[in-house]
Amino acid sequence: MLFLPAIVALVQAEEPPEEDPLELAALLIGDGFWDRAQGVLDSVEEPDDPVRFHTLQGTVYLHDEAWPEAADQLEAAIDLGGQDPTLWMRLSYAQQHYDLPAAYETVLGAPEYRGQQKQLALILCELGLYQEALELDIGDDLEARRVIAEAMHRGGQTERAIDMLEQARL
């Protein structure tokens, strides 16, 4: 019984561990608490990991469909040395909503990542460059071919889309 007050005093004297705000923001994003994550990110004055900070901030802006702001944050992450290929993929996705030529350049300049050729083909279709999209090597990815054919159909290239899908079935 004599030890109980001493133990309580020791526990109360310990300071709680300091939380990493970027880790907290990442957890909140993962759990779908976008506004709370933004609040945490807004409270960060000097991030310990600027690449991660800008990546998380860009991710929140993507969710909010604030395309130019998302692009600015993701470009900052890349400029600060971010190497994750998904940075380029996310940047291109944001740019596709307001600056297709920039999105095209982003994908071309990105390190290789899974789905890169598919994304590039979709951008080319949006730019009306269907022949260039068809010339890309997307392999035997039937889903990619279907998505590209759908983009071609939306762009008034229905016959080409049908031909592409028929070739994919062979």
Side-chain angles (χ1 to χ4, degrees), residues 25 29 33-44 51-77 90-91 93-95 97-98:
I29 289 169
F33 296 108
W34 298 95
D35 292 338
R36 290 178 60 194
Q38 182 62 62
V40 170
L41 292 169
D42 287 343
S43 72
V44 176
V51 172
R52 188 166 189 215
F53 171 80
H54 290 293
T55 300
L56 292 170
Q57 186 68 71
T59 302
V60 171
Y61 284 141
L62 281 175
H63 174 266
D64 293 343
E65 297 182 0
W67 310 121
E69 292 84 357
D72 289 345
Q73 291 297 317
L74 296 166
E75 283 177 343
R90 291 175 186 179
L91 173 57
Y93 179 75
Q95 292 169 328
H97 290 86
Y98 74 98

Side-chain angles (χ1 to χ4, degrees), residues 148-163:
I148 293 167
E150 185 178 311
M152 292 174 83
H153 172 68
R154 284 194 320 264
Q157 300 292 314
T158 304
E159 289 300 316
R160 291 174 101 177
I162 291 170
D163 290 344

Side-chain angles (χ1 to χ4, degrees), residues 85-96:
T86 61
L87 287 172
W88 278 268
M89 185 175 72
R90 291 175 186 179
L91 173 57
S92 173
Y93 179 75
Q95 292 169 328
Q96 286 177 43

Side-chain angles (χ1 to χ4, degrees), residues 91-112:
L91 173 57
S92 173
Y93 179 75
Q95 292 169 328
Q96 286 177 43
H97 290 86
Y98 74 98
D99 189 354
L100 279 173
Y104 177 75
E105 292 298 322
T106 296
V107 174
L108 285 180
E112 282 192 36

Side-chain angles (χ1 to χ4, degrees), residues 89-166:
M89 185 175 72
R90 291 175 186 179
L91 173 57
S92 173
Y93 179 75
Q95 292 169 328
Q96 286 177 43
H97 290 86
Y98 74 98
D99 189 354
L100 279 173
Y104 177 75
E105 292 298 322
T106 296
V107 174
L108 285 180
E112 282 192 36
Y113 59 87
R114 186 170 177 255
Q116 184 176 26
Q117 293 296 306
K118 177 179 163 183
Q119 188 174 16
L120 188 55
L122 290 172
I123 293 169
L124 288 169
C125 287
E126 291 291 325
L127 290 169
L129 302 171
Y130 302 104
Q131 187 60 41
E132 289 84 348
L134 289 173
E135 292 171 3
L136 289 174
D137 178 20
I138 56 171
D140 295 331
D141 185 348
L142 293 177
E143 176 62 16
R145 290 183 182 279
R146 186 198 62 76
V147 170
I148 293 167
E150 185 178 311
M152 292 174 83
H153 172 68
R154 284 194 320 264
Q157 300 292 314
T158 304
E159 289 300 316
R160 291 174 101 177
I162 291 170
D163 290 344
M164 180 183 185
L165 291 173
E166 285 177 353

